[in-house]
Amino acid sequence: LTWSNWPAYMDEDEDGNYPTLLRFQEESGIAVTYKVDVDDNDTFYGTIKDQLALGQFPGSDTFCLTEWMVARLIRFGYVQDLDAANIPNKANLTPALLNPDFDPGRNKSLPWQNGFAGIGWDSEAIPKGLQSVDDLWAADLKGKVTVLSEMRDTMGILLRSQGVDISSADWGMDEFASAIEVLESNVTSGQILGIKGNEYLEDFNSGNAVAGMVWSGDITAANVEAGYDRFKFALPDSGGTLWGDTFVVPMGSPRKANAEKLMNYYYQPDVAAELAAWVNYITPVVGAQEYAAENFPEIADNQLIFPNEETLSQAHIFRSLDAADDQAFKAEFLRVKLGA
C-alpha cells in the first residue's frame, strides 16, 4: 500500500519511525510506503490529475487531501466507492462529519484529521504574542511574515478580519476583492516573506519568519523540532478557519481493500488518541477523548485536539464555491501569489 500525506501528520519516534503505522503493518501483514509529498492541494493535484483523468494508477493508493479538493475529485469521478463492510470502525466517526454535501453517508471518503488555521508566532521574537490579523502587519515584522498557499485558509482569515461570514452564501467577489487587496498590499510592500505550503515551517525553524498564518498542529511539530515550546498558536480575535483532510482511494488503485483496512485501523479510539497526542489535530474518532483521558491526560483537554463549543465558535468553514467563484477566486489569489 502506498499512502501520500502532508508533513507532520504522523506520530514519530526518535528514530524517525511511525509507531502506529508500524503496528498496522505488523498486525495486518500489509507493507506500507508512506510518502510525505503533499505540500498543498493544488500542487499535489497537478502531479496526479493526468493519470486520474485516464483512470490510471496515480502512484498512491490513498491520500488525504482537504475536503474542497476531495469534493472536486468526487465530482470528476476520480475516486472509488468504499466498501463499508471493510471499515466497521466507521461507526466511530463523529456524527457531525457523516453527511457532507459532497459525499452524503461518506461512501467515497473518510476524514483523517480536522484542524484550525490561525496565527502563529515565535515567542522569543514576539514575547507579547499576537491577537489579531492586523498584528501581522506591524512595522517591526516586515519581511518576517508568512501566509498559507491554501487560498481558503489565508483568504478565509482575511475575510473574517473584515467581518465576513465565510460560512454563508451572502458574499462574493466584492468582499473577496477587498480582502485580497490587503494581501496584495502586504506582498508588494515586502511585509510578507512568502505565500507557502508546509515549507513555511522551514522559515519558522530557521528564524527567517517569526509570525504568520499557520496550521494549528504544525506549531506543535515546530516545537518538537525546536525541543521546547518556542512557537505559539491562536485563533485571531476575528476568528480562524476550520478544515478537514480526508482519505480517498483514487481510480486506478488496485489495492482499495488494503486502504480500507488502513482506514479501519486508524478509526480505533486507542490508535486515534495515540496519533492525536503527536499531531495535535482534531481527531474525527468518537471514543478517542475518553481513551486519551486515561492514557494521555495531557491532551484530553487540549482545545486544538478536542475543542469545546466555545473554541469551535471561533473557527469557520469556508463556504462551498460554485465553478465560477472557484475559478475567479483562485485566479486572483494565484496572481498575488506569483508576485510574492
Side-chain angles (χ1 to χ4, degrees):
L1 176 69
T2 300
W3 177 12
S4 286
N5 214 344
W6 303 75
Y9 232 7
M10 182 62 63
D11 52 306
E12 191 170 342
D13 63 21
E14 293 179 354
D15 298 321
N17 298 312
Y18 307 122
T20 60
L21 191 55
L22 285 175
R23 202 156 63 243
F24 168 75
Q25 294 178 83
E26 293 166 358
E27 294 176 3
S28 67
I30 297 170
V32 179
T33 299
Y34 185 72
K35 298 195 296 185
V36 183
D37 57 352
V38 182
D39 184 60
D40 66 38
N41 287 285
D42 285 317
T43 303
F44 184 78
Y45 177 67
T47 68
I48 62 174
K49 63 183 178 66
D50 291 341
Q51 297 98 313
L52 292 175
L54 295 171
Q56 297 175 350
F57 179 55
S60 297
D61 299 290
T62 188
F63 38 75
C64 301
L65 300 183
T66 308
E67 289 192 334
W68 66 265
M69 179 61 78
V70 168
R72 177 191 294 178
L73 298 180
I74 290 174
R75 187 168 67 249
F76 289 170
Y78 287 169
V79 303
Q80 301 186 44
D81 288 338
L82 300 177
D83 185 347
N86 290 337
I87 317 173
N89 289 332
K90 180 182 174 181
N92 295 329
L93 173 62
T94 298
L97 301 177
L98 181 59
N99 290 295
D101 57 3
F102 61 85
D103 186 21
R106 291 287 184 178
N107 298 310
K108 299 176 183 291
S109 66
L110 201 61
W112 166 243
Q113 303 288 300
N114 293 75
F116 301 117
I119 51 178
W121 63 93
D122 184 334
S123 63
E124 293 183 349
I126 313 173
K128 66 180 181 180
L130 304 176
Q131 290 185 315
S132 73
V133 173
D134 286 345
D135 290 342
L136 296 173
W137 316 140
D140 60 345
L141 297 183
K142 185 173 182 178
K144 297 182 179 180
V145 175
T146 64
V147 298
L148 297 164
S149 61
E150 285 295 318
M151 183 269 287
R152 286 161 177 79
D153 287 327
T154 289
M155 296 309 299
I157 290 170
L158 288 172
L159 284 159
R160 281 300 308 162
S161 72
Q162 296 186 345
V164 176
D165 179 2
I166 61 173
S167 300
S168 81
D170 299 330
W171 64 275
M173 180 50 81
D174 287 346
E175 291 81 1
F176 190 86
S178 178
I180 204 131
E181 185 178 342
V182 174
L183 179 66
E184 186 170 18
S185 66
N186 282 288
V187 167
T188 302
S189 71
Q191 183 75 17
I192 292 174
L193 170 68
I195 301 176
K196 302 189 175 188
N198 274 108
E199 76 269 22
Y200 75 85
L201 283 175
E202 298 172 9
D203 292 313
F204 268 65
N205 289 330
S206 67
N208 288 334
V210 297
M213 297 180 190
V214 304
W215 289 306
S216 51
D218 280 352
I219 293 303
T220 298
N223 284 330
V224 170
E225 179 79 14
Y228 62 104
D229 289 339
R230 174 181 168 186
F231 303 104
K232 304 295 182 182
F233 172 87
L235 292 171
D237 52 15
S238 53
T241 63
L242 176 66
W243 46 262
D245 290 334
T246 301
F247 278 117
V248 291
V249 179
M251 290 297 181
S253 166
R255 291 177 281 270
K256 179 170 74 79
N258 286 356
E260 291 163 342
K261 290 177 183 177
L262 179 77
M263 297 177 201
N264 191 61
Y265 169 79
Y266 276 101
Y267 266 67
Q268 297 175 110
D270 58 328
V271 177
E274 184 176 348
L275 176 69
W278 199 91
V279 301
N280 277 250
Y281 283 113
I282 304 169
T283 175
V285 178
V286 172
Q289 186 171 21
E290 289 76 9
Y291 185 88
E294 293 187 9
N295 297 275
F296 306 103
E298 68 279 6
I299 70 166
D301 296 317
N302 186 324
Q303 290 301 296
L304 301 183
I305 304 172
F306 303 110
N308 58 28
E309 289 301 316
E310 181 181 357
T311 299
L312 288 173
S313 71
Q314 298 173 286
H316 308 268
I317 298 173
F318 200 103
R319 72 170 171 88
S320 296
L321 300 177
D322 60 27
D325 278 348
D326 188 30
Q327 185 174 1
F329 291 0
K330 282 174 59 180
E332 275 294 279
F333 187 74
L334 182 60
R335 178 182 63 80
V336 175
K337 179 183 176 183
L338 291 176

